[in-house]
Coordinates of all heavy atoms in Angstrom, one line a residue:
G1 N 0.9 -7.1 6.8 CA 0.3 -6.4 8.0 C 0.3 -4.9 7.9 O 1.1 -4.3 7.1
S2 N -0.5 -4.3 8.7 CA -0.8 -2.9 8.6 C 0.5 -2.0 9.1 O 0.7 -0.9 8.5 CB -2.0 -2.5 9.4 OG -1.8 -2.8 10.8
I3 N 1.2 -2.5 10.0 CA 2.4 -1.7 10.5 C 3.4 -1.7 9.4 O 4.0 -0.6 9.1 CB 2.9 -2.3 11.8 CG1 1.9 -2.1 12.9 CG2 4.3 -1.7 12.2 CD1 2.3 -2.7 14.3
N4 N 3.7 -2.9 8.8 CA 4.7 -2.9 7.7 C 4.2 -2.1 6.6 O 5.0 -1.4 5.9 CB 4.9 -4.4 7.3 CG 5.8 -5.1 8.3 OD1 6.7 -4.6 8.9 ND2 5.5 -6.4 8.4
A5 N 2.9 -2.1 6.3 CA 2.4 -1.4 5.2 C 2.5 0.1 5.4 O 2.8 0.9 4.5 CB 0.9 -1.7 4.9
T6 N 2.3 0.6 6.6 CA 2.4 2.0 7.0 C 3.9 2.4 6.8 O 4.2 3.5 6.2 CB 2.0 2.3 8.4 OG1 0.6 1.9 8.6 CG2 2.1 3.7 8.8
I7 N 4.8 1.6 7.3 CA 6.2 2.0 7.1 C 6.6 2.1 5.6 O 7.3 3.0 5.2 CB 7.1 0.9 7.8 CG1 6.9 0.9 9.3 CG2 8.6 1.1 7.4 CD1 7.5 -0.2 10.0
A8 N 6.1 1.1 4.8 CA 6.4 1.1 3.4 C 5.8 2.4 2.7 O 6.5 3.0 1.9 CB 5.9 -0.1 2.8
A9 N 4.6 2.7 3.1 CA 3.9 3.8 2.4 C 4.6 5.1 2.7 O 4.9 6.0 1.8 CB 2.5 3.9 2.9
V10 N 4.9 5.4 4.0 CA 5.6 6.6 4.4 C 7.0 6.7 3.8 O 7.4 7.7 3.2 CB 5.7 6.7 5.9 CG1 6.6 7.9 6.3 CG2 4.3 6.9 6.5
T11 N 7.8 5.6 3.8 CA 9.1 5.6 3.3 C 9.1 5.8 1.8 O 9.9 6.6 1.2 CB 9.8 4.2 3.6 OG1 9.8 4.0 5.0 CG2 11.2 4.2 3.1
G12 N 8.2 5.1 1.1 CA 8.1 5.3 -0.4 C 7.7 6.7 -0.8 O 8.2 7.2 -1.8
I13 N 6.8 7.3 -0.1 CA 6.3 8.6 -0.4 C 7.5 9.6 -0.3 O 7.7 10.5 -1.1 CB 5.1 9.0 0.4 CG1 3.9 8.2 0.0 CG2 4.8 10.5 0.4 CD1 2.7 8.4 0.9
Y14 N 8.2 9.5 0.8 CA 9.3 10.4 1.1 C 10.4 10.2 0.0 O 11.1 11.2 -0.4 CB 9.9 10.3 2.5 CG 9.2 11.2 3.5 CD1 8.1 10.7 4.2 CD2 9.6 12.5 3.6 CE1 7.5 11.5 5.2 CE2 8.9 13.3 4.5 CZ 7.9 12.8 5.3 OH 7.2 13.7 6.2
K15 N 10.7 9.0 -0.4 CA 11.8 8.7 -1.3 C 11.5 9.1 -2.7 O 12.3 9.5 -3.5 CB 12.2 7.2 -1.2 CG 13.0 6.8 0.0 CD 13.4 5.4 0.0 CE 14.3 5.0 -1.2 NZ 15.6 5.5 -1.0
Y16 N 10.2 8.8 -3.1 CA 9.9 8.9 -4.6 C 8.8 9.8 -5.0 O 8.6 10.1 -6.2 CB 9.5 7.4 -5.0 CG 10.6 6.4 -4.7 CD1 10.4 5.4 -3.8 CD2 11.8 6.4 -5.4 CE1 11.3 4.5 -3.5 CE2 12.8 5.5 -5.1 CZ 12.5 4.5 -4.2 OH 13.5 3.6 -3.9
N17 N 8.0 10.4 -4.0 CA 7.0 11.3 -4.3 C 6.1 10.8 -5.5 O 6.0 11.5 -6.5 CB 7.6 12.7 -4.7 CG 6.6 13.8 -4.8 OD1 5.5 13.7 -4.2 ND2 6.8 14.8 -5.7
P18 N 5.4 9.7 -5.3 CA 4.6 9.1 -6.4 C 3.4 9.9 -6.8 O 2.8 10.7 -5.9 CB 4.2 7.8 -5.8 CG 4.2 8.0 -4.3 CD 5.3 9.0 -4.1
K19 N 3.0 9.8 -8.0 CA 1.8 10.5 -8.5 C 0.6 9.7 -8.3 O -0.5 10.2 -8.3 CB 2.0 10.9 -10.0 CG 2.0 9.6 -10.9 CD 2.5 9.9 -12.3 CE 1.8 11.1 -13.0 NZ 2.2 11.3 -14.4
A20 N 0.7 8.4 -8.0 CA -0.4 7.5 -7.7 C 0.2 6.3 -7.0 O 1.3 5.9 -7.2 CB -1.2 7.2 -8.9
I21 N -0.7 5.6 -6.2 CA -0.3 4.4 -5.5 C -1.3 3.3 -5.9 O -2.5 3.5 -5.7 CB -0.2 4.6 -4.0 CG1 0.9 5.5 -3.6 CG2 0.0 3.2 -3.3 CD1 1.0 5.9 -2.1
I22 N -0.8 2.2 -6.3 CA -1.6 1.0 -6.6 C -1.3 0.0 -5.5 O -0.2 -0.5 -5.4 CB -1.4 0.4 -8.0 CG1 -1.7 1.5 -9.0 CG2 -2.3 -0.8 -8.2 CD1 -1.4 1.0 -10.4
V23 N -2.3 -0.4 -4.7 CA -2.2 -1.5 -3.7 C -2.7 -2.7 -4.4 O -3.9 -2.7 -4.9 CB -2.9 -1.2 -2.4 CG1 -2.7 -2.3 -1.4 CG2 -2.5 0.2 -1.8
Q24 N -2.0 -3.8 -4.5 CA -2.5 -5.0 -5.2 C -1.9 -6.2 -4.5 O -0.9 -6.2 -3.9 CB -2.1 -4.9 -6.7 CG -0.6 -4.9 -7.0 CD 0.0 -6.3 -7.0 OE1 -0.7 -7.3 -7.4 NE2 1.2 -6.5 -6.5
G25 N -2.7 -7.3 -4.6 CA -2.4 -8.5 -4.0 C -3.6 -9.4 -3.9 O -4.6 -9.3 -4.6
V26 N -3.6 -10.3 -2.9 CA -4.7 -11.3 -2.7 C -5.5 -10.9 -1.5 O -5.1 -10.1 -0.7 CB -4.2 -12.7 -2.6 CG1 -3.5 -13.1 -3.9 CG2 -3.3 -12.9 -1.4
A27 N -6.7 -11.5 -1.5 CA -7.6 -11.2 -0.3 C -8.6 -12.4 -0.2 O -8.8 -13.2 -1.2 CB -8.4 -10.0 -0.6
G28 N -9.2 -12.6 1.0 CA -10.2 -13.6 1.2 C -11.6 -13.1 1.0 O -11.9 -12.0 1.4
G29 N -12.4 -13.8 0.2 CA -13.7 -13.4 -0.2 C -14.7 -13.4 1.0 O -14.6 -14.3 1.9
H30 N -15.6 -12.4 1.0 CA -16.6 -12.4 2.0 C -18.0 -12.7 1.5 O -18.9 -12.9 2.3 CB -16.7 -11.0 2.7 CG -15.7 -10.8 3.8 ND1 -15.7 -9.7 4.6 CD2 -14.6 -11.5 4.2 CE1 -14.7 -9.8 5.5 NE2 -14.0 -10.9 5.2
G31 N -18.2 -12.6 0.3 CA -19.6 -12.8 -0.3 C -19.8 -14.2 -0.9 O -18.8 -14.8 -1.3
E32 N -21.0 -14.6 -0.9 CA -21.3 -16.0 -1.4 C -21.2 -16.0 -2.9 O -21.2 -17.1 -3.5 CB -22.7 -16.4 -1.0 CG -22.8 -16.6 0.6 CD -24.2 -17.2 1.0 OE1 -25.1 -17.3 0.1 OE2 -24.4 -17.5 2.2
N33 N -21.2 -14.8 -3.5 CA -21.1 -14.8 -5.0 C -19.7 -14.4 -5.5 O -19.5 -14.2 -6.7 CB -22.1 -13.7 -5.6 CG -21.8 -12.3 -5.0 OD1 -21.3 -12.2 -3.9 ND2 -22.2 -11.3 -5.8

């Protein structure tokens, strides 16, 4: 969920100062192809 994701992003940025962020996981398809 978006609230948990926001907490994780803010916390992670403050703790580790990342040079890039990769969001990865699964999703439900919207297109017929």
Side-chain angles (χ1 to χ4, degrees):
S2 60
I3 293 176
N4 286 323
T6 301
I7 294 169
V10 172
T11 304
I13 288 170
Y14 271 95
K15 281 180 67 70
Y16 303 110
N17 190 28
K19 66 196 306 185
I21 294 175
I22 299 175
V23 183
Q24 63 84 35
V26 298
H30 276 193
E32 293 185 356
N33 61 333

